Amino acid sequence: MSDNDLVLSNDELNGLMVYYYDNCLPEYRADKEDDLWYGLQIGDRMFDLNVWLDDLTEEINCTVYECDWVDGNWQTNCRRSWTL
């Protein structure tokens, strides 16, 4: 694990994976956008999921970021991430 890895509990990992496979991936495949962003709150943590296509491998990827509560809004924190 590197300093840039997002630390997640087993419940958070499972919740993110279920949300990605049940909601994000089917929508991404239907929309054919370059990349799409989704938000998911698990407990008191908020996450942004960025779904995107790797042009070299032609694989669909999902990068998860935690959000910080800033001035009454959730804001993506890109310092740490986890790739599904």
Side-chain angles (χ1 to χ4, degrees):
M1 182 182 327
S2 77
D3 289 341
N4 294 331
D5 288 342
L6 183 60
V7 177
L8 301 164
S9 70
N10 286 337
D11 287 341
E12 291 166 340
L13 285 169
N14 290 334
L16 288 163
M17 290 175 60
V18 166
Y19 184 68
Y20 170 72
Y21 286 110
D22 289 353
N23 298 290
C24 304
L25 187 57
E27 183 178 320
Y28 181 83
R29 285 182 171 152
D31 284 351
K32 309 275 190 216
E33 295 288 328
D34 288 335
D35 71 334
L36 292 174
W37 287 84
Y38 303 87
L40 176 66
Q41 187 164 359
I42 301 174
D44 61 350
R45 293 176 81 183
M46 182 71 175
F47 300 96
D48 276 345
L49 293 80
N50 178 222
V51 182
W52 52 280
L53 182 68
D54 184 319
D55 293 330
L56 296 176
T57 64
E58 296 186 7
E59 291 181 9
I60 298 172
N61 294 282
C62 179
T63 306
V64 178
Y65 303 95
E66 186 170 9
C67 298
D68 297 326
W69 187 252
V70 179
D71 297 327
N73 293 298
W74 290 111
Q75 192 171 69
T76 307
N77 180 338
C78 294
R79 289 181 302 233
R80 290 185 178 79
S81 64
W82 175 67
T83 302
L84 243 97

